[in-house]
Amino acid sequence: MTRPLHHKLATMLGVVYPELDAPALAARLLETMGLADDAAAPPAHQNNWDESDVMLITYADTVQSAGEKPLKTLLRFLDDCLSDTVSVVHLLPFFPYSSDDGFSVMDYLAVNESHGDWEDVEAIARRYKVMSDLVINHMSARSRWFENFKKRIDPGKDYFFEARPGDDLSAVVRPRTSPLLNAVQTEDGERYVWCTFSEDQVDLNFANPEVLNEFVGIIRYYLERGITYFRMDAVAFLWKEVGTPSIHLQQTHELIKILRLLIEHHTPECVVITETNVPNRENLTYLGNANEAHVIYNFSLPPLLINTLVTGNCRHLKTWLMSMPPAQMGTTYLNFIASHDGVGLRPTDGLLDEDEKQRLINTMESFGGKVSYRRTPDGKDQPYEMNIALFDALKGTAEKGADHWQMQRFICAHTVMLALEGIPAFYIHSLLGTENDYDRMENTGRFRSINRAQCQIDRLETQLADPQNHHHRVFNELKRLIAIRRRQPAFHPNATQFTLHLGLQLFGFWRQSMRRDQSIFCIHNITSETQEVSLAEINLIGTDHWQDLISGMAVNDLSGSITLKPYQSVWLSNRD
């Protein structure tokens, strides 16, 4: 009897666990996932998205109302304000946690009682596609598994990665400055556990196949509650080996393939997204051969786009865009310019030189931002990310400081993001135009809290209803642009994209629908000065009728030019 899924899974497992009985382990994982070992494969290179897909990134408790669980308030806000705007909701970790605003999970199978319950999550999943974090690299030091690790009992006894102070850890790559190893007193003596991120976030040991089986069960539980997008948090660090950098190891890539294989056989429309905040070339490897992540974050976009808009020079952004390979069918990019984390600087390695990075850092600090650091293998501390609300990050330029173009610059950034190849993702505080939250940062003592404000729904609704309020203007203009984007086949995440060469003050690219029945020339003035665009230079086809989708302006004289005000964008399309 042919069992293609079982055979394929066993082959993958043999790479990760060469000393184990891979066919037996494969059979066990299939049972845990509830799959027959001859289950049919989903269609190859299937795009589980189109131009109408737009993601919202939010914490479960960002929007609050007195006397109501935040997940219920969030659904009400989504239905009242965003039902025609977003299709995917990334619910940042909504589990019981002990630190890091949810990313130190105590129980993967429970919903934080202060947020709501599984029925609330399922209610959102019935109306929107929901992305959940799979916090797969580490777990809370206050979890039951870790308590069992200290007691030396199962489940948990061998679930966490250990090393010794005398081991050669000099090559390990980390995003933090805290100690890598943490001494823990257990029932059989002192042990040293590996903590990539913090003492409270203890790395799991995937060399133990029991840990893999546990996560397969966790994934199935999420699938059965309607979750269809899985964000694999910090997955680049998943497999550790003493004497290596312990990042991007081959076993990590194989484990992603294994989990994707199981997920898509269970629910073919599911999407796996890897979160790897690393230099661009390293990040691209997580697409594999269309057999690892369906989607990867475009981590270089936020710092490069911010740098472009505060310097008025698109050279580095254009160079990066030209270097990006078109995603294979069945894969794409997640475009974002703000999130719950800071603006990563490692993704600019090889794209900005050190002086340019420092100038960008200095500019963000002058606009009220902070800088977080990481420790390199040689023991030095280097800037890792800039912590700032995007609205404040774009309040001025590097040369002249704050100015009166903040709103236009902010909208321009999102107009670029909306048009690029990939799925656009809006952090809720960018959609609302939220400023730096200094009070929250001081209360928590963490720089990242500067961009993690919490909103009372009554006050938010008042702000969004007031035409004089910048929150109202940001929210409504971004919604208008999103509505335009969602109607354009040329903005399909996998539609053709080519970079235009219009000098350093105009950033442009061309998109063409997969049926070749629509072209859109996306041109953005990234400066505080008026710019002229020669239409002859972009070679619009004379037999087509062209108009700007954003303003509705018809383009009649194809041999002439158009004038772009500071930070103005046009989407010139041959269909409306």
Side-chain angles (χ1 to χ4, degrees):
M1 176 175 156
T2 303
R3 300 189 297 169
L5 175 57
H6 178 270
H7 175 74
K8 188 172 185 178
L9 182 59
T11 301
M12 291 177 173
L13 289 165
V15 176
V16 182
Y17 305 107
E19 305 302 320
L20 298 182
D21 183 343
L25 179 56
R28 186 175 177 209
L29 294 180
L30 291 172
E31 181 181 5
T32 300
M33 195 61 150
L35 290 172
D37 55 10
D38 59 350
H45 300 284
Q46 173 176 279
N47 292 327
N48 291 329
W49 46 76
D50 61 27
E51 61 272 16
S52 69
D53 281 308
V54 176
M55 181 182 290
L56 177 74
I57 305 168
T58 182
Y59 281 102
D61 62 347
T62 294
V63 183
Q64 301 182 2
S65 180
E68 184 175 55
K69 295 292 186 180
L71 281 167
K72 286 183 169 62
T73 309
L74 176 61
L75 179 57
R76 184 154 52 87
F77 176 69
L78 289 168
D79 286 348
D80 290 348
C81 301
L82 294 172
S83 61
D84 59 350
T85 302
V86 302
S87 59
V88 185
V89 178
H90 175 195
L91 280 179
L92 289 158
F94 49 84
F95 318 105
Y97 70 95
S98 56
S99 64
D100 198 18
D101 287 342
F103 284 92
S104 185
V105 178
M106 296 173 67
D107 185 349
Y108 292 102
L109 301 181
V111 174
N112 189 327
E113 290 183 3
S114 66
H115 297 341
D117 54 32
W118 276 112
E119 288 185 5
D120 296 319
V121 175
E122 291 171 16
I124 297 174
R126 285 192 291 271
R127 303 289 299 277
Y128 306 86
K129 290 176 274 192
V130 169
M131 179 158 83
S132 172
D133 282 274
L134 195 64
V135 186
I136 197 168
N137 178 71
H138 50 263
M139 195 176 188
S140 169
R142 291 173 52 193
S143 64
R144 181 173 69 93
W145 285 359
F146 196 66
E147 287 300 320
N148 287 350
F149 171 85
K150 292 187 288 186
K151 294 175 183 176
R152 312 307 297 146
I153 61 175
D154 289 319
K157 179 173 178 250
D158 298 308
Y159 279 19
F160 297 90
F161 195 82
E162 300 178 56
R164 295 182 298 273
D167 289 336
D168 179 9
L169 307 177
S170 59
V172 174
V173 173
R174 298 184 61 225
R176 297 290 185 272
T177 58
S178 55
L180 175 62
L181 299 184
N182 181 39
V184 177
Q185 197 63 41
T186 73
E187 290 294 329
D188 58 7
E190 188 175 60
R191 291 173 175 265
Y192 291 86
V193 292
W194 189 289
C195 301
T196 297
F197 291 91
S198 77
E199 183 177 322
D200 186 49
Q201 295 165 298
V202 188
D203 284 40
L204 291 153
N205 178 23
F206 275 85
N208 178 0
E210 292 298 323
V211 175
L212 175 60
N213 189 60
E214 291 274 14
F215 271 90
V216 170
I218 290 164
I219 290 168
R220 179 181 178 183
Y221 190 84
Y222 294 175
L223 287 165
E224 290 171 349
R225 273 139 194 85
I227 290 167
T228 54
Y229 277 58
F230 291 84
R231 177 186 182 269
M232 294 190 176
D233 177 64
V235 72
F237 304 99
L238 197 63
W239 194 274
K240 271 73 70 171
E241 284 185 2
V242 170
T244 76
S246 294
I247 186 172
H248 311 317
L249 298 187
Q250 186 57 41
Q251 293 91 333
T252 291
H253 288 279
E254 292 298 326
L255 285 167
I256 294 169
K257 293 176 190 176
I258 287 166
L259 293 174
R260 169 175 166 166
L261 185 74
L262 293 168
I263 289 168
E264 65 184 6
H265 274 78
H266 185 286
T267 307
E269 66 270 21
C270 274
V271 175
V272 172
I273 299 181
T274 50
E275 188 264 334
T276 50
N277 191 357
V278 294
N280 195 53
R281 289 189 178 185
E282 298 172 28
N283 187 36
L284 287 167
T285 65
Y286 285 85
L287 290 173
N289 187 25
N291 60 351
E292 291 189 40
H294 294 95
V295 181
I296 62 170
Y297 283 80
N298 246 340
F299 275 109
S300 295
L301 178 61
L304 288 180
L305 183 51
I306 292 170
N307 184 71
T308 293
L309 289 164
V310 300
T311 62
N313 185 319
C314 69
R315 178 167 67 93
H316 296 305
L317 183 63
K318 187 166 68 170
T319 300
W320 165 76
L321 192 65
M322 288 189 292
S323 75
M324 291 296 286
Q328 293 188 58
M329 291 298 172
T331 69
T332 193
Y333 302 108
L334 190 72
N335 294 322
F336 73 109
I337 45 179
S339 74
H340 60 291
D341 288 339
V343 179
L345 289 166
R346 285 205 73 210
T348 66
D349 288 356
L351 301 172
L352 298 179
D353 65 33
E354 292 306 313
D355 288 342
E356 290 166 327
K357 285 184 191 179
Q358 191 58 53
R359 187 185 191 197
L360 179 59
I361 289 169
N362 293 344
T363 303
M364 293 303 100
E365 289 181 321
S366 74
F367 295 158
K370 303 294 181 182
V371 180
S372 298
Y373 290 80
R374 70 182 183 97
R375 186 151 294 156
T376 61
D378 60 5
K380 297 179 180 178
D381 290 350
Q382 287 190 348
Y384 174 70
E385 67 178 18
M386 301 175 296
N387 304 109
I388 190 169
L390 185 64
F391 192 71
D392 282 328
L394 297 173
K395 69 178 3 175
T397 64
E399 182 179 357
K400 297 181 180 179
D403 59 24
H404 62 283
W405 296 111
Q406 181 178 16
M407 177 72 69
Q408 292 86 344
R409 196 178 287 113
F410 184 77
I411 296 299
C412 179
H414 288 93
T415 309
V416 171
M417 182 188 79
L418 278 167
L420 286 169
E421 175 189 1
I423 301 168
F426 286 81
Y427 184 42
I428 190 169
H429 287 302
S430 294
L431 203 56
L432 299 173
T434 307
E435 303 103 321
N436 291 333
D437 189 339
Y438 298 109
D439 290 341
R440 185 168 176 81
M441 182 182 70
E442 290 176 7
N443 287 338
T444 66
R446 298 189 299 271
F447 286 164
R448 283 182 169 179
S449 298
I450 199 171
N451 196 26
R452 296 180 178 180
Q454 294 177 326
C455 313
Q456 291 300 313
I457 189 70
D458 293 344
R459 183 168 183 265
L460 178 59
E461 288 173 344
T462 299
Q463 292 172 333
L464 295 181
D466 179 5
Q468 303 304 312
N469 191 294
H470 85 269
H471 299 291
H472 168 94
R473 299 198 302 276
V474 164
F475 189 66
N476 284 279
E477 180 60 10
L478 291 180
K479 283 188 64 176
R480 186 180 78 87
L481 291 169
I482 291 168
I484 295 170
R485 178 228 154 75
R486 297 183 80 186
R487 298 193 297 266
Q488 314 307 322
F491 285 155
H492 186 287
N494 294 90
T496 299
Q497 176 174 285
F498 285 106
T499 308
L500 302 177
H501 299 279
L502 304 171
L504 299 180
Q505 285 72 52
L506 293 167
F507 177 60
F509 48 93
W510 171 70
R511 304 294 309 278
Q512 184 183 60
S513 62
M514 291 188 285
R515 293 185 178 181
R516 300 187 179 181
D517 58 350
Q518 183 186 28
S519 288
I520 303 178
F521 289 85
C522 308
I523 304 172
H524 315 269
N525 179 359
I526 48 85
T527 77
S528 57
E529 304 293 333
T530 298
Q531 303 291 333
E532 291 289 322
V533 181
S534 168
L535 295 177
E537 196 173 340
I538 60 176
N539 196 27
L540 301 181
I541 297 173
T543 55
D544 289 350
H545 169 72
W546 295 89
Q547 69 166 338
D548 173 25
L549 296 171
I550 296 174
S551 68
M553 174 192 70
V555 180
N556 298 316
D557 182 6
L558 300 188
S559 64
S561 64
I562 57 175
T563 301
L564 294 187
K565 297 175 182 177
Y567 305 106
Q568 183 182 351
S569 300
V570 291
W571 290 341
L572 302 179
S573 171
N574 59 353
R575 56 172 278 184
D576 48 27

